[in-house]
PDB file of all heavy atoms in Angstrom:
ATOM      1  N   ILE A 756     157.288  96.911  83.536  1.00  0.00           N
ATOM      2  CA  ILE A 756     157.723  95.539  83.789  1.00  0.00           C
ATOM      3  C   ILE A 756     157.156  94.679  82.676  1.00  0.00           C
ATOM      4  O   ILE A 756     155.963  94.736  82.375  1.00  0.00           O
ATOM      5  CB  ILE A 756     157.225  95.061  85.166  1.00  0.00           C
ATOM      6  CG1 ILE A 756     157.855  95.914  86.273  1.00  0.00           C
ATOM      7  CG2 ILE A 756     157.555  93.584  85.371  1.00  0.00           C
ATOM      8  CD1 ILE A 756     157.290  95.630  87.646  1.00  0.00           C
ATOM      9  N   SER A 757     157.995  93.885  82.048  1.00  0.00           N
ATOM     10  CA  SER A 757     157.583  93.109  80.875  1.00  0.00           C
ATOM     11  C   SER A 757     156.330  92.286  81.163  1.00  0.00           C
ATOM     12  O   SER A 757     156.215  91.660  82.224  1.00  0.00           O
ATOM     13  CB  SER A 757     158.711  92.188  80.418  1.00  0.00           C
ATOM     14  OG  SER A 757     159.798  92.941  79.917  1.00  0.00           O
ATOM     15  N   ASP A 758     155.402  92.311  80.210  1.00  0.00           N
ATOM     16  CA  ASP A 758     154.218  91.458  80.308  1.00  0.00           C
ATOM     17  C   ASP A 758     153.866  90.937  78.923  1.00  0.00           C
ATOM     18  O   ASP A 758     154.542  91.223  77.938  1.00  0.00           O
ATOM     19  CB  ASP A 758     153.048  92.187  80.979  1.00  0.00           C
ATOM     20  CG  ASP A 758     152.552  93.389  80.198  1.00  0.00           C
ATOM     21  OD1 ASP A 758     153.064  93.649  79.086  1.00  0.00           O
ATOM     22  OD2 ASP A 758     151.637  94.074  80.687  1.00  0.00           O
ATOM     23  N   GLY A 759     152.807  90.137  78.841  1.00  0.00           N
ATOM     24  CA  GLY A 759     152.461  89.440  77.609  1.00  0.00           C
ATOM     25  C   GLY A 759     152.034  90.369  76.483  1.00  0.00           C
ATOM     26  O   GLY A 759     151.537  91.478  76.722  1.00  0.00           O
ATOM     27  N   ILE A 760     152.233  89.895  75.249  1.00  0.00           N
ATOM     28  CA  ILE A 760     151.913  90.690  74.059  1.00  0.00           C
ATOM     29  C   ILE A 760     150.993  89.882  73.154  1.00  0.00           C
ATOM     30  O   ILE A 760     151.290  88.736  72.804  1.00  0.00           O
ATOM     31  CB  ILE A 760     153.175  91.085  73.287  1.00  0.00           C
ATOM     32  CG1 ILE A 760     154.098  91.926  74.177  1.00  0.00           C
ATOM     33  CG2 ILE A 760     152.814  91.868  72.021  1.00  0.00           C
ATOM     34  CD1 ILE A 760     155.378  92.350  73.496  1.00  0.00           C
ATOM     35  N   SER A 761     149.887  90.486  72.751  1.00  0.00           N
ATOM     36  CA  SER A 761     148.936  89.838  71.851  1.00  0.00           C
ATOM     37  C   SER A 761     149.118  90.355  70.425  1.00  0.00           C
ATOM     38  O   SER A 761     149.747  91.394  70.196  1.00  0.00           O
ATOM     39  CB  SER A 761     147.503  90.106  72.315  1.00  0.00           C
ATOM     40  OG  SER A 761     147.232  91.500  72.254  1.00  0.00           O
ATOM     41  N   PHE A 762     148.576  89.615  69.471  1.00  0.00           N
ATOM     42  CA  PHE A 762     148.549  90.047  68.064  1.00  0.00           C
ATOM     43  C   PHE A 762     147.797  91.378  68.012  1.00  0.00           C
ATOM     44  O   PHE A 762     146.685  91.504  68.501  1.00  0.00           O
ATOM     45  CB  PHE A 762     147.829  88.988  67.241  1.00  0.00           C
ATOM     46  CG  PHE A 762     148.044  89.072  65.743  1.00  0.00           C
ATOM     47  CD1 PHE A 762     148.021  87.910  64.986  1.00  0.00           C
ATOM     48  CD2 PHE A 762     148.253  90.270  65.087  1.00  0.00           C
ATOM     49  CE1 PHE A 762     148.208  87.949  63.610  1.00  0.00           C
ATOM     50  CE2 PHE A 762     148.444  90.336  63.714  1.00  0.00           C
ATOM     51  CZ  PHE A 762     148.412  89.166  62.979  1.00  0.00           C
ATOM     52  N   GLY A 763     148.412  92.390  67.414  1.00  0.00           N
ATOM     53  CA  GLY A 763     147.765  93.682  67.273  1.00  0.00           C
ATOM     54  C   GLY A 763     148.086  94.670  68.370  1.00  0.00           C
ATOM     55  O   GLY A 763     147.686  95.849  68.283  1.00  0.00           O
ATOM     56  N   ALA A 764     148.798  94.241  69.437  1.00  0.00           N
ATOM     57  CA  ALA A 764     149.171  95.159  70.506  1.00  0.00           C
ATOM     58  C   ALA A 764     150.023  96.296  69.929  1.00  0.00           C
ATOM     59  O   ALA A 764     150.899  96.071  69.096  1.00  0.00           O
ATOM     60  CB  ALA A 764     149.938  94.421  71.600  1.00  0.00           C
ATOM     61  N   ILE A 765     149.756  97.522  70.384  1.00  0.00           N
ATOM     62  CA  ILE A 765     150.475  98.693  69.879  1.00  0.00           C
ATOM     63  C   ILE A 765     151.383  99.220  70.982  1.00  0.00           C
ATOM     64  O   ILE A 765     150.926  99.841  71.949  1.00  0.00           O
ATOM     65  CB  ILE A 765     149.508  99.788  69.407  1.00  0.00           C
ATOM     66  CG1 ILE A 765     148.546  99.224  68.350  1.00  0.00           C
ATOM     67  CG2 ILE A 765     150.285 100.974  68.838  1.00  0.00           C
ATOM     68  CD1 ILE A 765     147.426 100.183  67.969  1.00  0.00           C
ATOM     69  N   GLN A 766     152.661  98.925  70.837  1.00  0.00           N
ATOM     70  CA  GLN A 766     153.642  99.404  71.800  1.00  0.00           C
ATOM     71  C   GLN A 766     154.044 100.844  71.467  1.00  0.00           C
ATOM     72  O   GLN A 766     154.179 101.201  70.288  1.00  0.00           O
ATOM     73  CB  GLN A 766     154.900  98.535  71.775  1.00  0.00           C
ATOM     74  CG  GLN A 766     154.732  97.142  72.325  1.00  0.00           C
ATOM     75  CD  GLN A 766     156.055  96.398  72.386  1.00  0.00           C
ATOM     76  OE1 GLN A 766     156.936  96.608  71.551  1.00  0.00           O
ATOM     77  NE2 GLN A 766     156.204  95.535  73.374  1.00  0.00           N
ATOM     78  N   ILE A 767     154.258 101.634  72.523  1.00  0.00           N
ATOM     79  CA  ILE A 767     154.790 102.983  72.355  1.00  0.00           C
ATOM     80  C   ILE A 767     156.033 103.097  73.243  1.00  0.00           C
ATOM     81  O   ILE A 767     155.926 103.330  74.451  1.00  0.00           O
ATOM     82  CB  ILE A 767     153.777 104.079  72.751  1.00  0.00           C
ATOM     83  CG1 ILE A 767     152.399 103.832  72.124  1.00  0.00           C
ATOM     84  CG2 ILE A 767     154.323 105.456  72.377  1.00  0.00           C
ATOM     85  CD1 ILE A 767     152.321 104.087  70.637  1.00  0.00           C
ATOM     86  N   PRO A 768     157.233 102.926  72.684  1.00  0.00           N
ATOM     87  CA  PRO A 768     158.452 103.130  73.477  1.00  0.00           C
ATOM     88  C   PRO A 768     158.577 104.596  73.896  1.00  0.00           C
ATOM     89  O   PRO A 768     157.767 105.446  73.493  1.00  0.00           O
ATOM     90  CB  PRO A 768     159.573 102.731  72.508  1.00  0.00           C
ATOM     91  CG  PRO A 768     158.907 101.976  71.400  1.00  0.00           C
ATOM     92  CD  PRO A 768     157.520 102.523  71.302  1.00  0.00           C
ATOM     93  N   SER A 769     159.614 104.893  74.662  1.00  0.00           N
ATOM     94  CA  SER A 769     159.790 106.250  75.173  1.00  0.00           C
ATOM     95  C   SER A 769     159.921 107.285  74.059  1.00  0.00           C
ATOM     96  O   SER A 769     159.588 108.457  74.257  1.00  0.00           O
ATOM     97  CB  SER A 769     161.018 106.304  76.085  1.00  0.00           C
ATOM     98  OG  SER A 769     160.799 105.508  77.239  1.00  0.00           O
ATOM     99  N   GLU A 770     160.375 106.881  72.883  1.00  0.00           N
ATOM    100  CA  GLU A 770     160.505 107.830  71.766  1.00  0.00           C
ATOM    101  C   GLU A 770     159.148 108.298  71.256  1.00  0.00           C
ATOM    102  O   GLU A 770     159.048 109.289  70.536  1.00  0.00           O
ATOM    103  CB  GLU A 770     161.294 107.209  70.620  1.00  0.00           C
ATOM    104  CG  GLU A 770     160.567 106.062  69.938  1.00  0.00           C
ATOM    105  CD  GLU A 770     161.281 105.554  68.689  1.00  0.00           C
ATOM    106  OE1 GLU A 770     162.508 105.717  68.593  1.00  0.00           O
ATOM    107  OE2 GLU A 770     160.579 104.994  67.814  1.00  0.00           O
ATOM    108  N   GLY A 771     158.063 107.569  71.585  1.00  0.00           N
ATOM    109  CA  GLY A 771     156.719 108.036  71.287  1.00  0.00           C
ATOM    110  C   GLY A 771     156.140 107.640  69.947  1.00  0.00           C
ATOM    111  O   GLY A 771     155.088 108.153  69.552  1.00  0.00           O
ATOM    112  N   LYS A 772     156.765 106.691  69.226  1.00  0.00           N
ATOM    113  CA  LYS A 772     156.260 106.247  67.925  1.00  0.00           C
ATOM    114  C   LYS A 772     155.679 104.834  68.047  1.00  0.00           C
ATOM    115  O   LYS A 772     156.280 103.957  68.671  1.00  0.00           O
ATOM    116  CB  LYS A 772     157.383 106.246  66.880  1.00  0.00           C
ATOM    117  CG  LYS A 772     158.119 107.574  66.731  1.00  0.00           C
ATOM    118  CD  LYS A 772     157.245 108.638  66.107  1.00  0.00           C
ATOM    119  CE  LYS A 772     158.032 109.940  65.904  1.00  0.00           C
ATOM    120  NZ  LYS A 772     159.065 109.837  64.864  1.00  0.00           N
ATOM    121  N   PRO A 773     154.509 104.570  67.429  1.00  0.00           N
ATOM    122  CA  PRO A 773     153.849 103.271  67.590  1.00  0.00           C
ATOM    123  C   PRO A 773     154.550 102.128  66.869  1.00  0.00           C
ATOM    124  O   PRO A 773     155.125 102.300  65.786  1.00  0.00           O
ATOM    125  CB  PRO A 773     152.460 103.497  66.976  1.00  0.00           C
ATOM    126  CG  PRO A 773     152.317 104.985  66.830  1.00  0.00           C
ATOM    127  CD  PRO A 773     153.701 105.518  66.653  1.00  0.00           C
ATOM    128  N   ILE A 774     154.469 100.947  67.471  1.00  0.00           N
ATOM    129  CA  ILE A 774     154.902  99.692  66.851  1.00  0.00           C
ATOM    130  C   ILE A 774     153.755  98.701  67.009  1.00  0.00           C
ATOM    131  O   ILE A 774     153.361  98.377  68.139  1.00  0.00           O
ATOM    132  CB  ILE A 774     156.168  99.115  67.509  1.00  0.00           C
ATOM    133  CG1 ILE A 774     157.295 100.147  67.543  1.00  0.00           C
ATOM    134  CG2 ILE A 774     156.623  97.854  66.771  1.00  0.00           C
ATOM    135  CD1 ILE A 774     158.484  99.716  68.392  1.00  0.00           C
ATOM    136  N   ILE A 775     153.204  98.229  65.899  1.00  0.00           N
ATOM    137  CA  ILE A 775     152.105  97.256  65.960  1.00  0.00           C
ATOM    138  C   ILE A 775     152.710  95.854  65.936  1.00  0.00           C
ATOM    139  O   ILE A 775     153.417  95.480  65.005  1.00  0.00           O
ATOM    140  CB  ILE A 775     151.137  97.425  64.772  1.00  0.00           C
ATOM    141  CG1 ILE A 775     150.607  98.864  64.720  1.00  0.00           C
ATOM    142  CG2 ILE A 775     149.986  96.432  64.884  1.00  0.00           C
ATOM    143  CD1 ILE A 775     149.753  99.151  63.504  1.00  0.00           C
TER     144      ILE A 775
END
Side-chain angles (χ1 to χ4, degrees):
I756 296 173
S757 293
D758 63 3
I760 300 179
S761 63
F762 196 149
I765 304 172
Q766 290 186 328
I767 312 288
S769 295
E770 67 173 25
K772 305 291 183 69
I774 306 170
I775 304 174

